[in-house]
Amino acid sequence: MTIPNKCDVVVIGGGPAGSTIGSILGRKGYEVVLLDKARHPRYTVGESLIPHFWKYCEYIGADKKIDAEKFIQKSGGTVIWNGTIRQMAFKDFGYTRPALHVERDRFDHILLDHARESGVNVFEEVSVLKTHLNNGTHPRVTYRANHEKNSGEISCRYIVDASGQSAVIARQLGIRMIDEGFRFMSIWGYFNDSKYVAADGKAYDFAHLRSIPPTTFVSNIEQWGWLWHIPQRESTSVGMVLPQDKMKEIKSSDGALEQYFLRKCREIPYLNQLLANASYVDGSFHIIRDYSYRPTELAGPGFFLIGDAAAFVDPIFSIGVVLAMYSAYLAAWAIDRSFQKPGSTELNRKIFAKQFNTRLEASRALALPRYGFSDLEDQLVRTSIQFETSLEQELMYVVSTLTTRSENFLEMSRDKNGPVITSNKYRVIEEIEF
Amino acid sequence: MKQIQQKIRDYILSEFAFDRQEIAPDEDLLSQGILDSMGVMQLVDFIEANFNIQVTDEDIVPENFRSLETLSNMITQRVSLPRN
């Protein structure tokens, strides 16, 4: 099939954000062309999902396909912060569907296939070279199939940038801003046969993963760093988030960072016990530098930025995929309304940007220590917290008590004008039993 | 006023709260988990289609979407304003 030269909406990128908006608009009957520079399945990170993602999968009708894949179900979280070990379980919050640890190549592939079945014209191994926004009048996208010499062009009504960290439009417009208050880098790799921590506070062999569900294991590394340990069907993802300035001490060559990572895996208490008999998967080391960024505009005439192509805060509370799907839902809502009533286009864009920005501020408040938030940002966070159900508010409250990184979030969740959130749905344990 | 509340109540019961028979006018739709951030946007569409008003970005705040009462207050104020 050849790429059409005209359609209603061009979506750049086939991760969860792109596939979600494609599925929604495709099902509404719009002509959607989705371009992805890779061929799925393709590797990406972000493997821990909180149960909120299910409602978006249900909305687009993909939940049965995700369910059928039998990803690892996790029961909750085990967080060691400054020596205190806390555990929380999703079942205590009354969630009816499980949190998952997913191999993202597979998870993303299922959603992309679902977008195809929803009527989206998906073209893989096609890179977007440039967007021509034309102030919203018939914007165009210049692309090139990876194995071809010649480029092509599609004319459309809206361009949705769901290109992840590539952030095609934000970079082109020069509106992608590194979050200066939050200069961290991330390094990670994979291990076979790692032990894992279950909800009972005991460590189990990898072979028990199906019969005794794991928790996501998180621990602080000195003052602001932290690590994750996420067992999946075949292997366990282990990663570290570290302040950039501290990392300057280490030679920043990739090889030196990998050695540092492996040394830390042997040194950090509990993690070293989990990995004692595990084998490192050679060549599985990854680095992202300066990953925390946001744009000065989330949308403009003819374009919307969603998922990581808009902003990325911090992976600490596993909200990346949920934010991607939420922003996809919002952009689909705005685009659908704008097609139906062109006069409301600008207003719809404003509503999209405001609601999405509100949610981004809440994620920032959860993940960041207080770095001089303004009153306006505080207000946005309060609004976002209150727009969630008590169940979700309570979960946010509990996760914010597990580490010292969310003190500002805690303060704001004690808003006098809104319902007071409190919860004791976590427990402190003395030690992890090996 | 009463009519507006009933219309919204019927919509919410049919779309978001199948397991319920009734919603009190002052019941907190947000903290009760009846409306979430997705439901709020669907409700915006419903309000615009049924009450002939335009909901703006500034209207979509928890204070307005908290209960049937606050929703109908928002709509009543808009309907009584002269439209330009």
Side-chain angles (χ1 to χ4, degrees):
Chain A
M1 198 183 153
T2 54
I3 303 177
N5 57 18
K6 226 178 114 179
C7 68
D8 294 324
V9 179
V10 173
V11 177
I12 309 171
S19 294
T20 300
I21 192 165
S23 299
I24 298 172
L25 293 174
R27 290 171 149 235
K28 286 186 188 288
Y30 294 107
E31 284 177 41
V32 182
V33 172
L34 187 154
L35 307 175
D36 196 312
K37 67 179 180 186
R39 177 159 299 278
H40 289 246
R42 58 89 182 94
Y43 173 79
T44 193
V45 74
E47 295 136 331
S48 168
L49 303 183
I50 52 173
H52 306 55
F53 81 94
W54 283 110
K55 68 180 178 190
Y56 302 101
C57 291
E58 286 163 11
Y59 183 74
I60 62 173
D63 57 311
K64 287 194 180 68
K65 295 175 188 171
I66 300 293
D67 200 38
E69 180 68 17
K70 304 273 177 255
F71 287 112
I72 294 293
Q73 301 191 359
K74 66 164 164 171
S75 55
T78 301
V79 177
I80 305 184
W81 212 264
N82 297 334
T84 306
I85 310 173
R86 296 184 178 90
Q87 286 201 306
M88 53 82 57
F90 288 112
K91 71 169 166 45
D92 291 342
F93 296 85
Y95 281 103
T96 53
R97 306 201 75 163
L100 302 179
H101 286 171
V102 304
E103 294 82 6
R104 282 289 302 281
D105 57 342
R106 187 63 197 130
F107 180 80
D108 291 10
H109 197 190
I110 294 170
L111 290 177
L112 186 62
D113 278 344
H114 184 75
R116 252 188 208 105
E117 284 168 34
S118 305
V120 177
N121 284 316
V122 175
F123 298 93
E124 295 175 90
E125 294 180 276
V126 176
S127 299
V128 169
L129 304 179
K130 194 171 168 42
T131 61
H132 313 266
L133 300 169
N134 290 346
N135 208 21
T137 317
H138 298 295
R140 289 173 290 125
V141 171
T142 306
Y143 63 84
R144 187 172 62 215
N146 293 358
H147 53 275
E148 280 174 24
K149 269 199 170 144
N150 297 331
S151 59
E153 216 169 73
I154 316 175
S155 163
C156 61
R157 295 280 296 280
Y158 296 99
I159 305 173
V160 176
D161 189 355
S163 62
Q165 302 254 346
S166 304
V168 173
I169 291 181
R171 283 183 203 258
Q172 186 189 313
L173 298 181
I175 58 171
R176 178 181 179 273
M177 301 295 159
I178 298 293
D179 197 328
E180 290 295 339
F182 202 53
R183 301 202 73 160
F184 283 71
M185 71 184 298
S186 184
I187 51 179
W188 72 97
Y190 293 82
F191 289 83
N192 288 328
D193 297 314
S194 170
K195 285 181 188 287
Y196 67 92
V197 184
D200 58 5
K202 292 181 184 157
Y204 290 90
D205 285 336
F206 194 77
H208 293 107
L209 216 44
R210 286 286 180 198
S211 50
I212 307 165
T215 59
T216 303
F217 176 84
V218 167
S219 168
N220 73 303
I221 304 174
E222 291 159 25
Q223 200 187 355
W224 292 117
W226 62 277
L227 67 89
W228 75 74
H229 176 278
I230 301 173
Q232 297 158 41
R233 290 177 293 188
E234 301 293 324
S235 64
T236 299
S237 166
V238 176
M240 297 172 189
V241 170
L242 301 157
Q244 293 267 32
D245 45 5
K246 180 177 163 45
M247 300 309 290
K248 281 185 194 140
E249 301 158 17
I250 305 155
K251 267 204 203 148
S252 62
S253 75
D254 292 6
L257 283 170
E258 186 174 22
Q259 288 313 310
Y260 174 86
F261 170 73
L262 292 172
R263 183 162 57 80
K264 281 286 176 191
C265 286
R266 287 191 300 270
E267 281 175 8
I268 296 171
Y270 292 109
L271 178 67
N272 57 3
Q273 281 176 275
L274 291 173
L275 297 177
N277 297 313
S279 55
Y280 175 59
V281 179
D282 281 328
S284 68
F285 185 67
H286 291 82
I287 305 168
I288 297 183
R289 293 181 170 88
D290 260 340
Y291 62 76
S292 200
Y293 55 84
R294 57 199 317 205
T296 52
E297 303 287 338
L298 291 164
F303 76 91
F304 291 84
L305 312 181
I306 62 173
D308 288 359
F312 188 85
V313 180
D314 187 83
I316 192 160
F317 297 119
S318 311
I319 41 187
V321 169
V322 173
L323 260 177
M325 291 176 146
Y326 171 68
S327 57
Y329 169 82
L330 273 181
W333 177 90
I335 288 172
D336 181 35
R337 284 165 56 100
S338 302
F339 272 115
Q340 307 221 13
K341 272 203 234 163
S344 68
T345 301
E346 202 181 325
L347 177 61
N348 297 328
R349 197 165 65 227
K350 265 168 88 176
I351 293 174
F352 161 82
K354 188 168 177 191
Q355 294 298 317
F356 185 16
N357 196 33
T358 306
R359 188 68 76 94
L360 282 172
E361 282 303 337
S363 321
R364 213 162 153 250
L366 263 178
L368 305 187
R370 178 165 282 277
Y371 274 107
F373 278 32
S374 69
D375 287 350
L376 175 69
E377 288 166 331
D378 280 3
Q379 193 49 48
L380 286 174
V381 176
R382 290 196 172 93
T383 303
S384 174
I385 295 169
Q386 290 179 40
F387 255 149
E388 286 311 319
T389 65
S390 55
L391 175 74
E392 293 177 6
Q393 286 184 21
E394 200 183 3
L395 180 69
M396 285 195 277
Y397 177 84
V398 169
V399 296
S400 70
T401 59
L402 297 179
T403 78
T404 53
R405 301 226 323 195
S406 311
E407 280 152 358
N408 44 349
F409 180 90
L410 272 178
E411 200 176 293
M412 281 179 269
S413 65
R414 295 192 193 103
D415 185 3
K416 287 184 251 5
N417 301 319
V420 179
I421 318 165
T422 52
S423 180
N424 54 0
K425 286 180 180 162
Y426 67 86
R427 63 178 191 132
V428 175
I429 56 175
E430 287 298 310
E431 59 176 2
I432 295 168
E433 222 178 284
F434 280 84
Chain B
M1 186 79 160
K2 198 97 195 161
Q3 260 184 334
I4 294 176
Q5 281 189 23
Q6 276 171 8
K7 217 165 167 180
I8 301 172
R9 182 202 60 195
D10 292 349
Y11 176 73
I12 290 176
L13 282 174
S14 69
E15 287 290 313
F16 309 115
F18 332 98
D19 50 337
R20 303 179 55 133
Q21 307 295 320
E22 191 49 88
I23 300 171
D26 61 347
E27 206 171 334
D28 194 322
L29 302 168
L30 299 170
S31 74
Q32 290 300 303
I34 296 169
L35 276 186
D36 63 6
S37 46
M38 267 169 109
V40 165
M41 307 315 286
Q42 274 172 262
L43 192 55
V44 168
D45 289 342
F46 177 81
I47 289 169
E48 289 191 345
N50 285 273
F51 301 104
N52 196 30
I53 62 165
Q54 186 154 63
V55 178
T56 69
D57 52 329
E58 281 156 16
D59 294 328
I60 309 177
V61 290
E63 295 76 35
N64 285 337
F65 283 74
R66 172 97 48 223
S67 67
L68 294 175
E69 258 169 14
T70 60
L71 279 162
S72 78
N73 286 343
M74 172 183 80
I75 294 164
T76 317
Q77 280 170 16
R78 286 315 202 68
V79 172
S80 58
L81 282 176
R83 295 169 63 86
N84 351 314

